[in-house]
Structures are given as C-alpha cells and as structure tokens.
Amino acid sequence: MHLLLVEDDKLVAEGLCRSLRQQGYSVEHCASIKSAMQWLENDEIELLVLDLGLPDGDGIDVLKHVKKHRPNLPVVILTARGSIDDKVQGLDLGADDYLAKPFDPAELFARLRVASRRVTHAQSSTINVANVEMDTSAFTVTLDQEPVNLPRKEFMLLKALFENQGRVLSKQQLESKLYEWGEEVGSNTIEVHIHHLRKKLPKDLIKTLRGIGYVVGKR
Amino acid sequence: MHLLLVEDDKLVAEGLCRSLRQQGYSVEHCASIKSAMQWLENDEIELLVLDLGLPDGDGIDVLKHVKKHRPNLPVVILTARGSIDDKVQGLDLGADDYLAKPFDPAELFARLRVASRRVTHAQSSTINVANVEMDTSAFTVTLDQEPVNLPRKEFMLLKALFENQGRVLSKQQLESKLYEWGEEVGSNTIEVHIHHLRKKLPKDLIKTLRGIGYVVGKR
DNA sequence: ATTTTTCTTAAGGTTTATTTAAGTTTTGCT
DNA sequence: AGCAAAACTTAAATAAACCTTAAGAAAAAT
C-alpha cells in the first residue's frame, strides 16, 4: 500500500516513516505543500497522511486539492491545533480522520487500517482463505490454527493476494505493492517469494495463471 | 437516513436524539445490547452510533455481531474509556470511527457525515454472452458458473469478440488486437486459437462467417 | 561486532502456451 | 457434381513463462 506522508518536522517524519514501513506501507515523504501536490499527481498514492502545519501554506489547501482531483483518496490529518472547529472543517472537507498531536502511533496505525479498509473493501483485519487465516493488523498468519512464520515481504505479498481474493494480480501489480517508487526490481523476486510461500502453505493456495498473474481463493 | 443510537445514559441519549434529528437523521434509540440486536435485525438501519458502556454486557459484542451480519453498516463508537488499546480494538473490529467522551456534538456530526458518505459502488467489469461470463479485470471466464481456464491469447481473443458482441471481426482485426505493431504473424494462429476456444466453450458460441470473420452473440 | 535472518540475483530446468505447417474437411460457386 | 478457397484439425516445433535452487548482499537481531 503506497502512502504519502506530508510532515515538515524532520524528527517526527523520520520516526513515522520508519514505523509506517514496519507496518507494511510503502512510504513516500515530503515536507511542503508544493512537493505534496507533485506527489499527488502520481496516481499510485493510495493513502495520504497530512500534517496541517506546513511552512509554505495551509495544509487545508492540499486537502481541498485532493478532494477535487482524487475524491476517493483516504486522508488522515495530523495537527497540533486541537480545536474542534478545525476538526469539523477537516472532516467536512473530506478527510477520513483527524489526529491531534501528540498521538500514539498505535492509534494512527489503527486509523490508517480503517482508512485503507475502504480502499480494499476488506471489512475486518482478518481474512480467511481456505484453512489459512491472516490478521493484517497483527501481522500473523495461521494454517489450521497453527502459526506460520512469514517474513515481511512474503507477508505483504500474501496480503495483497488475500485482499484481492478471486482477482488475478499480475507480477507488475504485485511488485508495485511491495516496492516504493524509484525502487526497481530487476529480477524474478516475486516468483521466488511465491515459491517460498508455497512451501509454507497449502501448495494449491496460490494459483498461477500463466501470462496473467497469480490468484488466491474463489475458483 | 435511518440511524440507530445505542446509549444508556438517558440525559446524553435525549440530547443526542434531538440534535441528530435536527441534523436530518431519523433516529431510533435503545439502551441495551439486547434491544440493539433486535433493532439490527431491521435492515433499514443505515448507520449505527454505539456506546460501549452498556448495562447488560460489552458493546464490543454488538460490534462483532454487526460486522458479521451487516459488514457494510457504518459504525461510529462512543465511549468513556479513553485508552488507546480500546480504540485500536474497536477500529480493528471494523468500526469506522471512534469518539471519546466528552465530545462536541459538532464533531460527531462531522464524523457521521464521513461515515455515511461511504456508499461505495463496485463496478463489475463483466460481459455476458449466452451462458458465458467474462470478467475482464479479474481475467476469468465462467461457463454456467463453472470456471474455464483460458491462456492469455485465447482470453484476449475472446475478449475482443465479447467487447464487439454482434459485430463481425475479421481475422486481421483480431490479429491486430493480439499482437504488437510490427509483430508478424505468418500463419493461421487465429484459426487455431478459435479452435481451442470452441473446445472449451459451447461450440456455437463463436460463429464463422466465411470469408469475413468471426462473431459472438446477438444473432 | 557478530550472527542470523531475510531479500535479491542469476542460471538452469520444467512446464505450458503459442506458432507453424501439413493434412482434412467444409463451403460456395460455376 | 466438381473445383477452389476458406476454415478446421492435429501434432510437432518453438518460444515464453514460470519454478527451483543456491549463493551472495542487505538488513535485522543479538
């Protein structure tokens, strides 16, 4: 899941970037309205975390712009201002959520999961396919109730497939979910990860559609 | 918009009911888990505002029940408990939002507007011809609901025909859909693919117009 | 700083899809 | 009917996609 973090405080930004990545997001970061606008040209940004206290203008303008051009993009706003009027304004402009600083990262993550659920149409944080259950917020997978240990990339890959149960995802699509912008994958990484997943899970869980991609479930 | 408010504090409930109605909602109110469950049998409830501090049990159970039986019903949770763990749990169970008491009604209204905005309409990219259904985005084809496995070129070929249902496509036109510019096809490829398709699908689905081309449907 | 785990790369092997080509059947025409 | 053109069928050859393995690089944990 591609996320854009707009936050000018270097320290905060750095910490958030790291922990967001640990949560499985591909994080792009910028610190000004200007560059935020540029990033948002990129259609693959799927989630926006926006600090309102920016140096070169009011973050609300970014929000307006987003809602005009990408009305379905989920937005979570961070702000030092705590007044309710601000909250109401942000929400009515189309923000999906609003967090006043200081906040606990765990709460931000939970709210991001809510926001991204909308994009992926998943309802809760667990997804079952056959006898495999994935908890996307706890980062765990079980096979017949037995825990299965999956490294991060394998987990993300499986998650992408689970969230699109019954839909075929091409290798390209999968790559774009696992890697950030500019990162090039010059090889058969996906194939290798799939192979590792198949060794740990029922062999027919992930089906290959030659020339098209991979699917899970519903067939 | 039909809204169910589950709140046991009479004073709070009364005030909320009134102002929610002023906001244009038709409000049903109840004060226990038991009656909440009953109300939720009613499919006309479109929005749920749930207080977690109920007399006869844990409101989280209501949330679980709702998400199981009405996974698309938007839920906003009210609570006195302020701990982050509660929030995270509530959100991960599928609540769309979470407000800690005391809160400003204006903020609740704003969050309700966000929650009810969510009328997502998944557009299916399927084309039906006779008893064959094709989902062009999932790359799947079913015959009488039974999946049919089609390799890429066969799929593309069938897709071209389906997208031009009732229109005759010449072999040349079909070739140009399957191949890149400059790619030469020195043979009867199309004929062979058509042949393979006919073996997997109803034999009369693809009709041949001698000297002209192939058609599907509407005739 | 060291060890362990995870990730990427690349080469070779396997399977499956696609093309080719040759033989066969169908069709439309005179 | 007899002929030629077009389409169908089949099987083998080629090509593409994918799988497997293993080793080295990178990242994380100790």
Side-chain angles (χ1 to χ4, degrees), chain A residues 82-117:
Chain A
S83 95
I84 282 164
D85 278 353
D86 269 2
K87 291 196 185 184
V88 173
Q89 190 192 1
L91 291 170
D92 278 341
L93 278 171
D96 293 273
D97 218 324
Y98 209 111
L99 271 169
K101 293 181 188 176
F103 55 86
D104 184 314
E107 190 174 350
L108 172 60
F109 301 151
R111 291 182 183 275
L112 284 174
R113 285 193 289 275
V114 171
S116 57
R117 262 206 297 269

Side-chain angles (χ1 to χ4, degrees), chain A residues 152 171 188 191-192 195 198 208 210-211 214:
Chain A
R152 210 168 29 265
K171 273 188 283 199
N188 59 340
E191 286 171 26
V192 175
H195 178 228
R198 295 216 253 233
T208 301
R210 224 157 224 267
Y214 298 93

Side-chain angles (χ1 to χ4, degrees), chain B residues 152 171 188 191-192 195 198 208 210-211 214:
Chain B
R152 204 183 42 168
K171 273 188 279 199
N188 60 339
E191 287 172 22
V192 175
H195 176 229
R198 296 217 253 232
T208 301
R210 196 157 245 264
Y214 298 94

Side-chain angles (χ1 to χ4, degrees), chain B residues 46-218:
Chain B
E46 297 163 277
L47 207 49
L48 174 62
V49 179
L50 177 64
D51 181 5
L52 288 191
L54 293 172
D56 60 336
D58 193 337
I60 287 287
D61 293 335
V62 177
L63 182 56
K64 283 183 190 164
H65 177 268
V66 164
K67 282 301 144 182
K68 197 165 179 182
H69 295 88
R70 300 268 313 265
N72 289 316
L73 182 71
V75 181
V76 175
I77 285 189
L78 308 179
T79 186
R81 320 177 189 171
S83 94
I84 281 161
D85 280 351
D86 270 3
K87 291 197 187 183
V88 171
Q89 191 193 1
L91 290 170
D92 277 339
L93 277 171
D96 294 277
D97 217 326
Y98 210 113
L99 272 169
K101 294 179 184 177
F103 54 86
D104 185 312
E107 190 175 351
L108 173 60
F109 303 150
R111 288 179 186 274
L112 284 174
R113 285 192 288 275
V114 171
S116 59
R117 259 205 299 266
R118 260 159 231 164
V119 192
T120 44
H121 31 64
Q123 51 177 359
S124 70
S125 44
T126 67
I127 309 173
N128 289 73
V129 177
N131 51 350
V132 178
E133 176 168 296
M134 162 178 285
D135 184 325
T136 56
S137 73
F139 277 95
T140 59
V141 173
T142 59
L143 164 61
D144 292 325
Q145 329 304 336
E146 288 301 312
V148 176
N149 204 311
L150 295 187
R152 204 183 42 168
K153 286 264 152 92
E154 285 174 29
F155 182 90
M156 288 164 72
L157 178 47
L158 190 64
K159 182 178 163 204
L161 289 169
F162 269 40
E163 283 175 343
N164 292 282
Q165 199 180 149
R167 192 161 309 149
V168 183
L169 296 181
S170 69
K171 273 188 279 199
Q172 279 212 345
Q173 287 177 301
L174 290 170
E175 275 173 15
S176 79
K177 303 233 178 210
L178 298 204
Y179 301 95
E180 304 289 323
W181 285 86
E183 247 189 306
E184 311 255 333
V185 206
S187 187
N188 60 339
T189 323
I190 299 294
E191 287 172 22
V192 175
H193 285 315
I194 292 272
H195 176 229
H196 290 149
L197 281 171
R198 296 217 253 232
K199 289 212 292 202
K200 300 175 186 172
L201 299 169
K203 57 217 152 297
D204 57 344
L205 179 72
I206 303 171
K207 268 156 279 183
T208 301
L209 300 201
R210 196 157 245 264
I212 305 175
Y214 298 94
V215 220
V216 121
K218 278 189 191 165

Side-chain angles (χ1 to χ4, degrees), chain A:
Chain A
M1 177 86 69
H2 276 122
L3 180 155
L4 175 63
L5 170 65
V6 187
E7 164 65 65
D8 64 314
D9 181 322
K10 265 190 188 164
L11 221 59
V12 175
E14 211 168 282
L16 275 181
C17 276
R18 194 171 34 240
S19 42
L20 284 169
R21 287 195 180 107
Q22 232 155 34
Q23 292 289 314
Y25 297 99
S26 307
V27 181
E28 304 299 342
H29 167 244
C30 69
S32 71
I33 289 188
K34 212 172 160 184
S35 50
M37 297 292 202
Q38 286 179 339
W39 269 112
L40 289 165
E41 299 294 312
N42 186 330
D43 279 345
E44 303 213 12
I45 297 290
E46 297 164 275
L47 208 47
L48 174 62
V49 178
L50 177 64
D51 181 4
L52 288 190
L54 293 172
D56 59 337
D58 192 338
I60 287 286
D61 293 336
V62 177
L63 184 55
K64 284 182 189 163
H65 177 267
V66 164
K67 283 302 145 180
K68 195 165 180 184
H69 295 90
R70 300 267 314 266
N72 289 317
L73 182 71
V75 181
V76 174
I77 285 189
L78 307 179
T79 185
R81 318 178 191 171
S83 95
I84 282 164
D85 278 353
D86 269 2
K87 291 196 185 184
V88 173
Q89 190 192 1
L91 291 170
D92 278 341
L93 278 171
D96 293 273
D97 218 324
Y98 209 111
L99 271 169
K101 293 181 188 176
F103 55 86
D104 184 314
E107 190 174 350
L108 172 60
F109 301 151
R111 291 182 183 275
L112 284 174
R113 285 193 289 275
V114 171
S116 57
R117 262 206 297 269
R118 268 210 4 270
V119 172
T120 59
H121 296 123
Q123 287 309 329
S124 78
S125 58
T126 71
I127 308 172
N128 290 74
V129 177
N131 50 350
V132 179
E133 175 168 296
M134 160 178 287
D135 184 327
T136 57
S137 62
F139 274 79
T140 58
V141 172
T142 59
L143 165 61
D144 293 325
Q145 330 302 338
E146 288 301 312
V148 176
N149 195 306
L150 295 187
R152 210 168 29 265
K153 284 268 150 88
E154 286 173 31
F155 182 88
M156 288 164 71
L157 179 46
L158 191 65
K159 182 178 162 207
L161 289 169
F162 269 42
E163 283 175 343
N164 292 282
Q165 200 179 147
R167 185 148 308 151
V168 184
L169 297 182
S170 69
K171 273 188 283 199
Q172 280 212 344
Q173 288 177 301
L174 290 169
E175 274 173 16
S176 81
K177 303 237 177 209
L178 297 204
Y179 302 96
E180 318 206 340
W181 274 103
E183 245 189 307
E184 306 269 330
V185 205
S187 187
N188 59 340
T189 324
I190 299 294
E191 286 171 26
V192 175
H193 286 313
I194 291 271
H195 178 228
H196 290 150
L197 282 170
R198 295 216 253 233
K199 289 212 290 202
K200 300 174 188 172
L201 298 169
K203 57 212 156 300
D204 56 345
L205 180 72
I206 302 170
K207 268 156 278 183
T208 301
L209 300 203
R210 224 157 224 267
I212 303 173
Y214 298 93
V215 220
V216 121
K218 278 188 193 165
R219 270 166 168 255

